[in-house]
Amino acid sequence: MLWLLFFLVTAIHAELCQPDAENAFKVRLSIRTALGDKAYVWDTNEEYLFRAMVAFSMRKVPNRETTEISHVLLCNVTRRVSFWFVVTDPSKNHTLPAVEVQSAIRMNRNRINSAFFLNDQTLEFLKIPSTLAPPTDPAVPIWIIIFGVIFCIVIVAITLLVLSGIRQRRRKNKGPSEVDDAEDKCENTITIENGIPCDPLDTKGGHINDVFVTEDERLTPL
Amino acid sequence: MEKVRPQWGRQRQFVFACISYAVGLGNVWRFPYLCQLYGGSFLVPYLVMLFVEGMPLLYLELAVGQRMRQGSIGAWRTISPYFSGVGVASVVVSFFLSTYYNIINAWGFWYLFHSFQDPLPWSVCPLNGNHTGYDEECEQASSTQYFWYRKTLNISPSIQENGGVQWQPALCLTLAWLMVYLCILRGTESTGKVAYFTALLPYCVLTIYLVRGLTLHGATNGLVYMFTPKMEQLANPKAWINAATQIFFSLGLGFGSLIAFASYNEPSNNCQKHAVLVSLINSSTSIFASIVTFAIYGFKATFNYESCLNKVILLLTNSFDLEDGFLTASNLEQVKDYLASTNPSKYSQVFPLIQNCSLESELDTAVQGTGLAFIVYTEAIKNMEVSQLWSVLYFFMLLMLGMGSMLGNTAAILTPLTDSKVISSHLPKEAISGLVCLINCAIGMVFTTEAGNYWFDIFNDYAATLSLLLIVLVETVAVCYVYGLRRFENDLQAMTGRALHWYWKAMWACVSPLLIIVLFVFYLSDYILTGTLQYQAWDATQGQLVTKDYPTYALAAIGLLVASSTMCIPLVALGTFIMHRLKRGDTAPVA
């Protein structure tokens, strides 16, 4: 009698958990891709942990706090590693609606992933889309900050160059007019320009340069 | 008091200015493309054209500039008053070039400023509206293409849909022009010093990239691919035409920039040595840059090939529930055959989804122009470690190259303007430079609209190509036959103290003009035979480029671009002729 009951229970369980059954989800793990050499073997203990995590997720849903590990059924485990699972209600006759299971898994996806050292790509729940991380947009885009800095530097450099150019030109304009005045004065008074008196340059018709001649006499006593 | 012509601070500033002008973006994004098309044997026609066409014409321009000591308009007017139209045409072409060239620098700035983020914005696709997946356009294309076409250009589906001026590229363009103004503000004094940076820094970055590129996984695949000579391409006339065109445009002949630079030289400067030096450096930079590019190509192709393989492996593993890690690249083919034989029905279901991964086809995707610089390179950079550093270095190099060329372009426009007594007596040279930059910036805003990239392609393809060939042809003919080759030879000897080698005389008088005529005829016939001109438009729904026809007004704009520069030559000649006739008519009764 007991054996009959056992077979009946497993038969019902087998019916509840089947590939493509109602409210069943397929899970796919890529342990070797994620962990390489540190990959662990998928055995019944890992399956127990998985069932515990699913039960934990379901217990967080209001009205489902009494979900036990035995309510989570796994079947069709392949070498891949992939399998199907369903969550049954306490009477073990019906499976919980897919929507509830889906929302529970989505809420606790991070916890489930980290229990197995995997991520959203290596621990896949087919038909449960993962929420993608929203982009972190700073208040002011970074490129505008850098642009502003370089823009200000360039404007300052241009202003400095233009101003110094204007100043140079003003000095050059004043320069030639000063030289003109000096040449006028030379004819009337003896003015010193660059240490050479203008007068000697003017007398003797410019043929003899006094400054040069005196040096010569000093040097060559023949 | 006579105004002294400004001169280069040191002779090497002139060399560096020429190098930074000649070594531009074309060396980085056009030459590797040609090597890819024609194989390693492309180097043969390239080097032949360098000696036959590049060096002689470069020497000619430098000699004319140094002898006449004026910008392009004045120089050609001195050679013969009927030929001052050549100078005017040069200035017009330079004006077009500087208008559209600086938008590349603006894009360079945009990418440079965006390189300071983690992760790089072109490495991930943005999420769609409800955060369940990625943006559709980005999924269809790739994240780098999406960033270029949507975020940078915000391109419209066709040239007719203009959109408005967009503030982000407009800001970057303004900054680019301010940077150019800063560099040319003081004339040769500032240009000479900036030329040190713009000439030397790209080589530093290229060397760093060479070292990094050669150590990347898969780089050797690209290098082997580049150096395998496709011997049959030597017989292909297109290879020779492309080599001649590449040398011609790469050296920047005909724009008047080289004449402008050389006009600030001392008359005794040995410009023959400099011409040979600059052209050799330009060509070796092209080869150097293409080694770097092919190392990067090899890395990118290998990366994509391995990703493709991994996707196929994942697909098969999931469909047949094989053990994870069982399928590798090495046993893929055997396992596929095994699966096909043991599970034929399921295999035939999966088979259409299996992509054919081929390293050859990845390497074969030849790209040139902005696509290479902003899409292919960024795709390779995003997969390197510390990608922000490589990205900043790369775009900094692009900016240096672009700025160096802009210095030459603006010098070609400014030198004739500052030479003319009418303009320079009323305005100081800072104001003239400022005005030129302002006008160019205002017109350049066209390229920041949504259809801006299509107009950029129009300018890039048509503004300079035919006109330059004609300009340089007329230049050579004017110097050799109108001014007289012997007279020019005597001038050069008196100026530099060295006799002119017979090689240059032979090239100038016969070979180079013939070559240019061949190129000219080829291009004209190509344009006439292709009938309607077409362009590549970005289709956002498909995520790829589609070919469309130009509307009539775009064709009219193309015609106007070509005509406005080429017509200068005959029109000015005609005008001078008429004025001479009138003057002779006035003086005749008196005599």
Side-chain angles (χ1 to χ4, degrees):
Chain A
M1 184 63 182
L2 218 64
W3 285 113
L4 205 67
L5 212 66
F6 181 69
F7 281 132
L8 203 67
V9 167
T10 32
I12 293 172
H13 277 196
E15 268 181 33
L16 287 175
C17 175
Q18 269 186 10
D20 293 321
E22 196 189 347
N23 301 332
F25 291 95
K26 183 166 183 186
V27 181
R28 197 152 59 197
L29 286 92
S30 310
I31 308 175
R32 192 154 308 158
T33 315
L35 301 170
D37 287 336
K38 300 199 211 96
Y40 48 81
V41 179
W42 185 262
D43 54 12
T44 43
N45 297 328
E46 305 283 346
E47 286 179 25
Y48 191 82
L49 176 60
F50 182 81
R51 291 164 66 206
M53 293 304 295
V54 174
F56 162 76
S57 310
M58 288 312 298
R59 284 170 88 108
K60 295 227 160 163
V61 177
N63 287 339
R64 298 288 175 202
E65 287 93 343
T66 51
T67 315
E68 298 290 332
I69 296 181
S70 51
H71 296 160
V72 182
L73 307 171
L74 262 58
C75 50
N76 279 63
V77 184
T78 65
R79 289 180 304 168
R80 170 64 183 81
V81 173
S82 70
F83 48 83
W84 291 80
F85 77 93
V86 286
V87 186
T88 60
D89 62 356
S91 69
K92 302 217 179 149
N93 285 334
H94 313 284
T95 54
L96 295 185
V99 188
E100 278 189 36
V101 179
Q102 193 175 34
S103 71
I105 301 279
R106 280 185 89 172
M107 297 277 221
N108 300 289
R109 193 63 189 269
N110 265 346
R111 298 286 294 269
I112 304 178
N113 284 348
S114 52
F116 293 97
F117 303 127
L118 301 170
N119 60 25
D120 278 357
Q121 278 79 40
T122 39
L123 171 54
E124 296 170 79
F125 287 84
L126 302 179
K127 288 194 290 177
I128 302 184
S130 47
T131 345
L132 299 162
T136 45
D137 275 332
V140 180
I142 300 180
W143 77 271
I144 291 203
I145 301 176
I146 306 176
F147 170 82
V149 167
I150 299 199
F151 191 78
C152 292
I153 294 177
V154 170
I155 294 271
V156 166
I158 290 180
T159 330
L160 284 176
L161 277 181
V162 170
L163 286 177
S164 77
I166 294 178
R167 213 178 303 137
Q168 248 180 21
R169 207 170 297 119
R170 221 174 277 160
R171 219 181 293 141
K172 228 190 291 177
N173 280 341
K174 250 188 262 168
S177 56
E178 282 176 359
V179 170
D180 283 335
D181 285 341
E183 281 177 3
D184 283 336
K185 283 198 205 133
C186 258
E187 298 186 0
N188 301 328
T189 53
I190 298 177
T191 343
I192 307 290
E193 256 277 305
N194 271 351
I196 303 170
C198 292
D199 204 12
L201 290 174
D202 220 10
T203 53
K204 299 172 183 122
H207 296 301
I208 304 172
N209 186 339
D210 271 344
V211 181
F212 203 71
V213 165
T214 43
E215 279 209 282
D216 243 13
E217 285 179 349
R218 231 187 290 140
L219 286 174
T220 48
L222 268 173
Chain B
M1 223 175 24
E2 207 192 280
K3 211 170 161 192
V4 173
R5 189 172 185 80
Q7 270 191 352
W8 297 105
R10 273 176 216 272
Q11 211 43 50
R12 57 170 182 252
Q13 285 181 1
F14 164 66
V15 183
F16 280 138
C18 286
I19 291 176
S20 79
Y21 169 66
V23 174
L25 294 167
N27 301 64
V28 171
W29 74 28
R30 172 97 181 141
F31 184 77
Y33 166 74
L34 290 172
C35 272
Q36 210 171 2
L37 271 189
Y38 300 112
S41 48
F42 181 72
L43 288 174
V44 170
Y46 186 71
L47 287 173
V48 167
M49 289 299 165
L50 171 67
F51 285 105
V52 162
E53 181 198 0
M55 276 190 208
L57 291 174
L58 180 64
Y59 183 29
L60 181 71
E61 289 220 356
L62 290 183
V64 166
Q66 190 169 306
R67 167 72 186 85
M68 304 302 163
R69 299 180 60 84
Q70 292 182 74
S72 50
I73 299 185
W76 295 108
R77 194 177 25 234
T78 317
I79 293 226
S80 159
Y82 294 106
F83 280 96
S84 53
V86 175
V88 176
S90 287
V91 172
V92 171
V93 173
S94 287
F95 180 73
F96 289 148
L97 182 74
S98 58
T99 311
Y100 83 79
Y101 200 84
N102 221 10
I103 191 76
I104 305 174
N105 289 333
W107 292 331
F109 273 121
W110 170 265
Y111 269 83
L112 180 67
F113 297 151
H114 276 89
S115 307
F116 290 95
Q117 292 173 18
D118 181 37
L120 288 173
W122 53 82
S123 58
V124 286
C125 272
L127 304 176
N128 60 10
N130 48 7
H131 286 202
T132 51
Y134 295 114
D135 184 284
E136 210 185 291
E137 189 180 350
C138 196
E139 283 273 299
Q140 299 264 15
S142 66
S143 53
T144 43
Q145 281 181 314
Y146 177 79
F147 188 76
W148 169 243
Y149 285 111
R150 189 53 48 215
K151 286 288 157 94
T152 312
L153 301 174
N154 197 16
I155 204 164
S156 62
S158 72
I159 197 172
Q160 284 98 324
E161 293 150 59
N162 267 331
V165 170
Q166 302 177 88
W167 65 271
Q168 294 104 327
L171 276 184
C172 292
L173 184 65
T174 320
L175 178 64
W177 274 110
L178 283 175
M179 199 66 96
V180 170
Y181 182 53
L182 177 64
C183 297
I184 62 172
L185 186 50
R186 286 297 195 79
T188 47
E189 182 188 322
S190 51
T191 310
K193 295 200 181 61
V194 172
Y196 283 127
F197 291 107
T198 54
L200 293 175
L201 278 179
Y203 288 102
C204 294
V205 177
L206 273 176
T207 316
I208 297 175
Y209 254 93
L210 182 72
V211 174
R212 173 76 261 223
L214 289 177
T215 53
L216 284 173
H217 166 62
T220 34
N221 293 335
L223 287 175
V224 162
Y225 184 78
M226 170 187 171
F227 284 114
T228 21
K230 296 185 195 163
M231 277 304 173
E232 69 278 5
Q233 293 290 348
L234 274 180
N236 183 0
K238 276 217 154 181
W240 292 86
I241 298 273
N242 274 322
T245 317
Q246 175 62 13
I247 287 278
F248 191 85
F249 291 118
S250 176
L251 287 172
L253 304 165
F255 286 103
S257 317
L258 295 162
I259 298 182
F261 281 154
S263 69
Y264 297 116
N265 272 345
E266 276 169 42
S268 55
N269 177 43
N270 183 3
C271 54
Q272 174 185 297
K273 179 177 80 173
H274 290 150
V276 173
L277 189 67
V278 169
S279 46
L280 281 178
I281 289 181
N282 181 48
S283 296
S284 34
T285 310
S286 290
I287 299 176
F288 183 41
S290 59
I291 295 180
V292 175
T293 305
F294 274 94
I296 306 274
Y297 264 163
F299 165 70
K300 176 186 96 78
T302 313
F303 189 87
N304 285 345
Y305 171 66
E306 288 177 357
S307 307
C308 178
L309 276 181
N310 283 336
K311 269 195 222 137
V312 172
I313 289 175
L314 192 66
L315 177 69
L316 285 175
T317 314
N318 287 342
S319 317
F320 292 97
D321 275 331
L322 303 167
E323 190 183 328
D324 180 32
F326 170 67
L327 259 184
T328 58
S330 37
N331 61 9
L332 183 62
E333 289 302 315
Q334 300 157 300
V335 175
K336 267 163 80 174
D337 296 330
Y338 171 74
L339 288 172
S341 53
T342 49
N343 229 333
S345 56
K346 204 169 182 189
Y347 189 76
S348 55
Q349 275 182 334
V350 175
F351 187 69
L353 300 167
I354 299 180
Q355 290 172 318
N356 238 345
C357 297
S358 152
L359 188 60
E360 278 282 318
S361 65
E362 291 284 341
L363 285 169
D364 260 337
T365 48
V367 191
Q368 59 162 336
T370 49
L372 171 58
F374 294 109
I375 299 180
V376 171
Y377 253 94
T378 48
E379 196 177 318
I381 289 175
K382 81 174 202 270
N383 296 324
M384 295 185 197
E385 278 122 56
V386 200
S387 37
Q388 282 79 9
L389 169 68
W390 300 110
S391 179
V392 167
L393 270 181
Y394 173 67
F395 288 109
F396 187 66
M397 176 188 76
L398 275 195
L399 278 173
M400 287 289 114
L401 290 172
M403 279 296 162
S405 302
M406 277 306 291
L407 295 180
N409 293 336
T410 43
I413 305 174
L414 284 176
T415 310
L417 289 180
T418 47
D419 283 345
S420 119
K421 304 205 176 36
V422 174
I423 301 179
S424 60
S425 55
H426 287 240
L427 293 169
K429 102 179 141 219
E430 284 95 345
I432 302 178
S433 325
L435 235 92
V436 169
C437 289
L438 192 66
I439 296 177
N440 273 320
C441 187
I443 300 181
M445 288 296 163
V446 172
F447 303 112
T448 60
T449 60
E450 286 182 22
N453 194 39
Y454 301 129
W455 288 104
F456 172 81
D457 281 334
I458 287 184
F459 271 73
N460 195 21
D461 289 336
Y462 302 109
T465 35
L466 268 182
S467 335
L468 278 184
L469 289 170
L470 190 65
I471 288 174
V472 175
L473 180 64
V474 176
E475 280 183 6
T476 330
V477 164
V479 168
C480 291
Y481 299 108
V482 177
Y483 189 75
L485 188 55
R486 197 144 299 186
R487 188 170 156 203
F488 193 61
E489 184 187 349
N490 292 336
D491 282 347
L492 284 184
Q493 189 151 4
M495 190 171 69
T496 60
R498 283 179 201 85
L500 192 62
H501 199 265
W502 61 265
Y503 176 74
W504 304 117
K505 284 192 273 190
M507 292 296 129
W508 288 349
C510 320
V511 183
S512 303
L514 275 176
L515 206 58
I516 300 176
I517 292 177
V518 168
L519 281 181
F520 193 71
V521 165
F522 172 78
Y523 272 107
L524 261 186
S525 55
D526 203 39
Y527 285 150
I528 294 174
L529 284 175
T530 41
T532 46
L533 299 168
Q534 294 179 318
Y535 69 105
Q536 303 278 80
W538 176 254
D539 188 345
T541 49
Q542 289 180 42
Q544 60 182 27
L545 292 166
V546 292
T547 324
K548 290 198 180 163
D549 286 332
Y550 276 124
T552 349
Y553 68 86
L555 291 173
I558 295 176
L560 203 66
L561 271 180
V562 178
S564 54
S565 45
T566 46
M567 285 299 127
C568 284
I569 305 176
L571 282 179
V572 171
L574 195 65
T576 325
F577 181 67
I578 292 176
M579 274 180 41
H580 269 212
R581 271 307 210 39
L582 288 175
K583 251 191 234 166
R584 232 187 291 160
D586 280 342
T587 53
V590 180

